[in-house]
Amino acid sequence: WEIAWLRAKDHKEKGNQHFNRKNFEEAIHDYHLALDCLKGTDTQRLPSDDLKSLLISLHLNLAASYLSMQKFDEAIGECDLVLTADPMNPKALFRRGKCLAQIGDHQEALRDLVFALQMSPKDASIAQELQAVQNRVEVTFSCMEDEQLFERFESDGIVPSFHYLDARAFSLMKREFPVVLKHHILAQPANAKWNLEYLSQNISDAGNQVYISNGNKFKYFDEANNAGKYDFEIPVTSTRVSFREFAEKLRNDPERKYYLQQSLTQEGCGPNVISDFKAFDWEWIKRMQHLLDMGSIKNNTLWVGAKGVVTPAHMDEAFNFFCQISGRKKFILWNPKYFDCMYLYPIHHPHDRQSQVDIENPDLERFPKFANAKSVEIVLEPGDVLYLPPYWFHHVVSIDESVSVNFWFIMKNDKKSGVELPLKKQSEIMAFRRNIEKFIGDAMGPSQVGKFLKEMQEGRFDLK
């Protein structure tokens, strides 16, 4: 294997020399010889990182050679091999983007080039190629990030909206601010057809999870989570029915509201719906998962509700890409920094993570600090995708009969060196608060949490 390794590196070097002399066919021949040297060898004895690095460099060099010869399909094939092993390799994304632009697939070229620039923001050649493709297709978005962006939008009370490839959108997502991604193709296979009629015909008669309310509010609860033994009245009922029966009740029962919440990974969604779902833009999802350092996908949920359905203000401990498929939804959001203004239920209460405040008619005598909570709003149109970071409070209203799909990602907790101190991200501060509350409740009993924290604070930190 040592001889084979040396021969492979020798052929690679010869290929590089041919490439520099613009002898591309000879370069391709030598790169393939290098790959052949590694194929029949006991490569398991090689350090895996060294082998991977050599293989990637050979396929990248082959892509560059084919690109120089305008053999775009072959170059794309080599880039695909690299991106299978290293999904965010900037050179592979750049070269594949150039090839896609040459064969007229400008939308895919834009995606590759934007991701390449995000990985190598100082690479002028990537920026130049991206600008050239933008000019060709007359798609305008910024390639520059903006650190003060959200603050300006917050002062206007709106959630920022950008083309999903705009660097400003990525800048907001990296800083855990919400943003609406416009012109997105994430759920494109569903956007044109997932309405009640299509879903009634294509989701099987297996039971779907449906919640029923005598009013219009659907407040989340977990009846089993009541270690504090709080007085609690179940706000909604639930049942499992066929989608046809749900659609019939949704449109024809004037007394009650219905809201379907169905996991798209469960059996019963039907082959056509599952086929559409599999055709979603999973490559983009995987790239964002890597770039935003998110954990694995927690769940994908199909949300179908009547006009006027309300999900009261709450927060989730997960990253969320929320895709609006049909109808419109209004989101009202609050930054986690307004934690003390939102009056969450205790962590050991069935309404954990929910606000006690009636957002539409707040009782400021009971909840005076809520007046200080500054919100931002957005109406999602069909095709929009809302990025919602963990711990952002959100109150959701269905303006129309509505179909939505979301992607929940768990928060990573695998940093070997621990969390960087002092805590700076609002998500980390919120998680810390919840962990303290849970620890005290588990150690002393849920009823003692408030008393313990009050006694700990009073007279000790308000120094005169």
Side-chain angles (χ1 to χ4, degrees):
W1 67 268
E2 292 176 331
I3 295 174
W5 176 260
L6 292 172
R7 285 177 176 171
K9 296 191 75 172
D10 183 56
H11 281 300
K12 178 192 171 186
E13 182 57 34
K14 289 180 180 177
N16 291 346
Q17 292 172 8
H18 286 304
F19 183 90
N20 292 332
R21 300 189 191 106
K22 302 188 184 305
N23 298 326
F24 302 120
E25 289 188 357
E26 291 87 346
I28 289 170
H29 177 70
D30 270 305
Y31 294 143
H32 277 298
L33 287 177
L35 289 171
D36 289 340
C37 289
L38 298 174
K39 283 179 182 177
T41 308
D42 182 14
T43 53
Q44 291 184 354
R45 298 179 63 185
L46 292 170
S48 58
D49 289 344
D50 291 347
L51 177 60
K52 180 180 177 180
S53 177
L54 179 56
L55 289 171
I56 284 176
S57 66
L58 287 168
H59 288 298
L60 284 173
N61 291 354
L62 280 166
S65 301
Y66 284 127
L67 178 59
S68 298
M69 296 176 69
Q70 298 189 350
K71 293 186 175 183
F72 303 120
D73 289 341
E74 290 87 344
I76 290 172
E78 297 297 331
C79 291
D80 287 344
L81 290 172
V82 174
L83 292 169
T84 299
D86 182 7
M88 296 306 299
N89 186 287
K91 289 183 179 179
L93 289 166
F94 174 46
R95 289 168 192 173
R96 190 172 71 174
K98 290 186 70 172
C99 292
L100 290 167
Q102 289 296 322
I103 63 177
D105 195 345
H106 295 117
Q107 292 299 325
E108 290 298 315
L110 283 173
R111 286 157 48 80
D112 277 354
L113 293 169
V114 164
F115 279 117
L117 192 61
Q118 286 169 353
M119 298 305 294
S120 297
K122 296 182 180 180
D123 192 318
S125 58
I126 299 176
Q128 184 178 359
E129 182 68 21
L130 177 57
Q131 186 62 60
V133 178
Q134 282 185 275
N135 293 340
R136 253 175 263 168
V137 296
E138 298 182 348
V139 174
T140 303
F141 53 80
S142 174
C143 299
M144 300 296 292
E145 297 189 13
D146 186 340
E147 293 299 315
Q148 302 302 317
L149 195 59
F150 190 83
E151 288 77 1
R152 293 199 295 274
F153 277 88
E154 187 177 36
S155 66
D156 295 330
I158 59 175
V159 178
S161 299
F162 294 106
H163 189 286
Y164 82 104
L165 294 176
D166 197 305
R168 291 170 294 181
F170 181 66
S171 174
L172 288 165
M173 289 189 284
K174 276 200 308 186
R175 296 170 60 220
E176 295 189 357
F177 285 120
V179 60
V180 175
L181 307 173
K182 307 292 284 187
H183 311 292
H184 211 307
I185 60 173
L186 173 56
Q188 193 171 55
N191 287 341
K193 54 187 176 182
W194 280 22
N195 52 33
L196 252 66
E197 287 71 27
Y198 178 84
L199 295 173
S200 293
Q201 294 169 9
N202 289 283
I203 290 185
S204 72
D205 289 335
N208 298 277
Q209 186 73 44
V210 174
Y211 293 89
I212 307 165
S213 173
N214 291 325
N216 66 337
K217 290 185 172 64
F218 288 79
K219 192 169 190 173
Y220 174 83
F221 68 97
D222 180 0
E223 196 173 3
N225 180 43
N226 196 4
K229 296 182 171 55
Y230 296 98
D231 291 335
F232 168 72
E233 184 177 337
I234 295 176
V236 298
T237 58
S238 65
T239 186
R240 300 193 75 85
V241 298
S242 70
F243 197 94
R244 288 187 182 87
E245 184 179 351
F246 158 71
E248 176 71 20
K249 289 180 179 295
L250 182 147
R251 286 182 169 172
N252 297 302
D253 184 349
E255 302 298 323
R256 296 182 292 183
K257 294 289 187 183
Y258 296 82
Y259 204 2
L260 179 142
Q261 300 175 23
Q262 172 77 8
S263 172
L264 283 168
T265 58
Q266 291 179 352
E267 294 182 5
C269 284
N272 290 337
V273 170
I274 292 300
S275 177
D276 295 338
F277 182 56
K278 287 181 177 178
F280 282 16
D281 191 356
W282 292 98
E283 184 176 358
W284 183 86
I285 283 289
K286 290 176 181 176
R287 289 179 182 176
M288 297 312 297
Q289 194 174 1
H290 174 87
L291 287 169
L292 300 178
D293 198 28
M294 299 187 296
S296 58
I297 290 182
K298 179 181 179 182
N299 196 10
N300 297 103
T301 303
L302 172 67
W303 309 81
V304 185
K307 177 181 178 180
V309 161
V310 173
T311 304
H314 67 286
M315 61 84 173
D316 297 308
E317 296 181 285
F319 295 92
N320 189 356
F321 284 109
F322 191 95
C323 311
Q324 189 60 21
I325 305 299
S326 67
R328 295 169 298 159
K329 274 187 174 174
K330 178 181 179 180
F331 276 75
I332 307 174
L333 310 179
W334 294 265
N335 194 311
K337 70 183 180 182
Y338 296 118
F339 167 82
D340 64 327
C341 303
M342 298 303 294
Y343 298 92
L344 292 182
Y345 284 90
I347 200 170
H348 296 92
H349 191 285
H351 281 316
D352 175 35
R353 298 185 293 104
Q354 317 298 302
S355 174
Q356 299 179 62
V357 183
D358 181 349
I359 301 304
E360 296 169 353
N361 187 27
D363 183 345
L364 295 181
E365 288 188 8
R366 288 184 62 201
F367 309 113
K369 290 184 179 180
F370 180 70
N372 300 324
K374 188 172 181 60
S375 64
V376 289
E377 300 183 8
I378 193 70
V379 173
L380 294 187
E381 304 282 348
D384 288 347
V385 177
L386 170 65
Y387 168 69
L388 190 59
Y391 298 109
W392 274 76
F393 302 99
H394 48 293
H395 180 88
V396 189
V397 181
S398 293
I399 298 174
D400 309 306
E401 185 178 278
S402 173
V403 177
S404 316
V405 173
N406 80 314
F407 297 74
W408 265 317
F409 296 82
I410 64 173
M411 298 176 64
K412 273 189 176 180
N413 189 25
D414 59 354
K415 296 180 180 178
K416 294 180 180 178
S417 58
V419 177
E420 183 180 348
L421 299 176
L423 299 178
K424 295 179 181 178
K425 288 185 177 180
Q426 287 295 330
S427 60
E428 294 174 345
I429 295 170
M430 285 286 287
F432 187 56
R433 282 193 183 109
R434 287 178 61 78
N435 287 337
I436 289 174
E437 184 180 348
K438 187 174 188 310
F439 178 78
I440 296 171
D442 290 346
M444 303 185 65
S447 64
Q448 299 299 308
V449 175
K451 181 174 180 289
F452 179 85
L453 291 174
K454 187 176 182 180
E455 289 176 349
M456 185 175 178
Q457 188 272 336
E458 282 186 344
R460 296 185 62 227
F461 297 101
D462 296 329
L463 301 180
K464 306 298 183 183

